[in-house]
Amino acid sequence: MATEQRPFHLVVFGASGFTGQFVTEEVAREQASPERSSRLPWAVAGRSREKLQRVLERAALKLGRPTLSSEVGIIICDITNPASLDEMAKQATVVLNCVGPYRFYGEPVVKACIENGTSCIDISGEPEFLELMYWKYHEKAAEKGVYIIGSSGFDSIPADLGVIYTRNQMNGTLTAVESFLTIHSGPEGLCVHDGTWKSAVYGFGAQSSLRKLRNSLNLKPVPLIGPKLKKRWPISYCRELNTYSIPFLGSDMSVVKRTQRYLHEVLEESPVQYAAYVTVGGITSVIKLMFAGLFFLFFVRFGIGRQLLIKFPWLFSFGYFSKQGPTQKQIDGSSFTLTFFGQGYKQGISTDKTKPNIKICTQVKGPEAGYVTTPIAMVQAAMTLLNDASDLPKAGGVFTPGAAFSRTKLIDRLGQHGIEFSVISSSEV
């Protein structure tokens, strides 16, 4: 990718936001990595020079790098000012967009990046935004030869690349995968910043417009290979993990399905069916979650209900979401495990009439999901864009992580940064 003419390889837009601060720290770590063979000129961008300066000073203190502030560029720009977004994009090879909810603030950044020949990565977990950007901008991005890659954080790099990893590890044809997310908390418990909560509230409030978008596209169904993957009940028991689970309501299903469509239609690979769940522990947790879910689904249907959910995240989420976000102790004590159960067919066996005869279990494990894993995933996705250009899709476009990175070394890069992919078991049935 052309970096010579641009002063900055990476620009973190929204660096003074809650997640943006952690992404800024992660870029600073990458810049100082002993494995780096070349310079990594980068900048932070946002509305307030003072706030951006403070973020750099905090990062310098945390990382023991007193000269950090003088090594990083500062770009002043505002989401409501298209000219300032153009100026930011012109100076960057890749923009890391941390400004959400993306349904309100994401499109102007995508537009500015495409018009100015700049690639862009975001960490959106909002299916409507992600799918809309593809339909509106894929061809324009391809013409410009730039890569617009959404959902490159905890939603949805572990899930999307986890399915690809499982497929690559199976000695045969993978036809279906179920994933189970388990979040582990330390003694201080769990907490998530309310930015994620807002995205969820607005996303569920707009389910009908997502359905309309999908219906209007009239897409040809991706072929089913092997028997159809059965949907589990809204509350089901996972014997292998000895825990109850519920459907995972993030963007993983949407992202993985789009990746599988791309791999089938463009790369002519065998598509994989997918379903995503999250484990919830024992029966007491199930009852608590049922009440929280019913409250949420009732309130999210009405304008005033959505206002209340957004005003009092702590109350309606039983303390899991707050305007302050997690403490450092909560972040340090938290981690995740994403377990994949796959089935398929040995090489040479017909997938038409026989039952699947091979099973595989893989895992992706990593540190705290929102503010450690997400920045690592986002920054390593950006480094892959900068360094593995020959392994990316030939033309640019709007891609899911799996579509963009299926043939790159991103899984290895993540492994070197504490997000580990492994095979737990593989057996013939």
Side-chain angles (χ1 to χ4, degrees), residues 3 20 55 84 89 94 166 175 190 242 244 261-262 279 300 352 357 377 389 400:
T3 52
V55 166
S84 72
V94 181
T166 306
T175 60
L190 287 172
N242 192 26
Y244 286 94
R261 176 179 290 280
Y262 171 86
T279 66
V300 84
D352 288 345
N357 58 8
T400 58

Side-chain angles (χ1 to χ4, degrees), residues 111-338:
K111 206 168 169 223
C113 284
I114 292 171
E115 283 171 5
N116 294 285
T118 308
S119 290
C120 178
I121 290 176
D122 72 46
I123 44 179
S124 168
E126 303 163 45
E128 189 185 0
F129 167 76
L130 295 164
E131 293 178 34
L132 189 61
M133 290 306 97
Y134 175 81
W135 293 108
K136 282 183 84 168
Y137 294 104
H138 179 64
E139 285 172 14
K140 290 176 189 169
E143 280 165 25
K144 288 280 195 170
V146 300
Y147 297 87
I148 307 296
I149 304 169
S151 54
S152 292
F154 187 73
D155 277 15
S156 293
I157 276 184
D160 205 14
L161 292 185
V163 172
I164 288 169
Y165 174 83
T166 306
R167 182 202 68 186
N168 292 347
Q169 297 303 315
M170 182 180 253
N171 187 19
T173 304
L174 181 69
T175 60
V177 174
E178 291 181 313
S179 71
F180 292 84
L181 169 63
T182 303
I183 299 288
H184 315 280
S185 64
E188 301 279 321
L190 287 172
C191 182
V192 183
H193 187 256
D194 77 328
T196 305
W197 175 257
K198 280 179 190 163
S199 295
V201 169
Y202 292 124
F204 277 95
Q207 283 289 301
S208 60
S209 52
L210 176 57
R211 274 195 299 274
K212 270 183 206 153
L213 171 67
R214 287 174 177 170
N215 291 338
S216 69
L217 302 172
N218 207 13
L219 288 173
K220 197 170 74 177
V222 173
L224 276 183
I225 310 295
K228 187 173 182 184
L229 183 61
K230 286 185 185 140
K231 265 189 179 174
R232 290 174 178 255
W233 290 92
I235 296 167
S236 65
Y237 188 72
C238 175
R239 275 201 320 276
E240 296 88 344
L241 297 175
N242 192 26
T243 179
Y244 286 94
S245 70
I246 59 172
F248 178 66
L249 299 176
S251 61
D252 289 354
M253 284 275 284
S254 157
V255 171
V256 171
K257 282 181 174 179
R258 284 171 55 221
T259 293
Q260 293 305 317
R261 176 179 290 280
Y262 171 86
L263 296 178
H264 169 66
E265 291 178 352
V266 180
L267 302 184
E268 297 180 352
E269 294 175 3
S270 179
V272 179
Q273 302 171 63
Y274 177 68
Y277 301 93
V278 58
T279 66
V280 294
I283 202 75
T284 317
S285 305
V286 168
I287 292 164
K288 259 194 207 170
L289 260 165
M290 274 173 62
F291 276 110
L294 289 169
F295 264 117
F296 183 86
L297 291 170
F298 175 75
F299 277 85
V300 84
R301 289 166 62 193
F302 312 104
I304 192 161
R306 290 193 289 276
Q307 284 171 21
L308 286 168
L309 287 167
I310 283 161
K311 196 169 182 187
F312 305 108
W314 194 84
L315 177 68
F316 287 103
S317 69
F318 291 83
Y320 281 118
F321 290 86
S322 79
K323 291 181 188 294
Q324 292 75 38
T327 63
Q328 193 59 50
K329 275 187 178 173
Q330 285 174 318
I331 290 171
D332 294 342
S334 180
S335 63
F336 79 90
T337 305
L338 191 55

Side-chain angles (χ1 to χ4, degrees), residues 18-87:
F18 192 82
T19 307
Q21 299 173 57
F22 293 99
V23 173
T24 300
E25 284 172 22
E26 191 55 36
V27 178
R29 282 190 196 95
E30 183 61 35
Q31 180 202 25
S33 164
E35 284 95 54
R36 285 205 63 72
S37 56
S38 58
R39 279 176 68 248
L40 181 66
W42 65 290
V44 290
R47 288 179 300 186
S48 161
R49 183 175 292 276
E50 292 72 28
K51 283 182 180 176
L52 293 169
Q53 196 67 51
R54 276 204 299 275
V55 166
L56 290 175
E57 284 162 9
R58 265 202 303 273
L61 197 64
K62 194 170 174 181
L63 303 174
R65 301 252 310 275
T67 59
L68 181 67
S69 298
S70 61
E71 297 164 20
V72 183
I74 290 181
I75 301 170
I76 304 305
C77 70
D78 188 331
I79 202 78
T80 60
N81 180 345
S84 72
L85 293 176
D86 286 336
E87 274 309 304

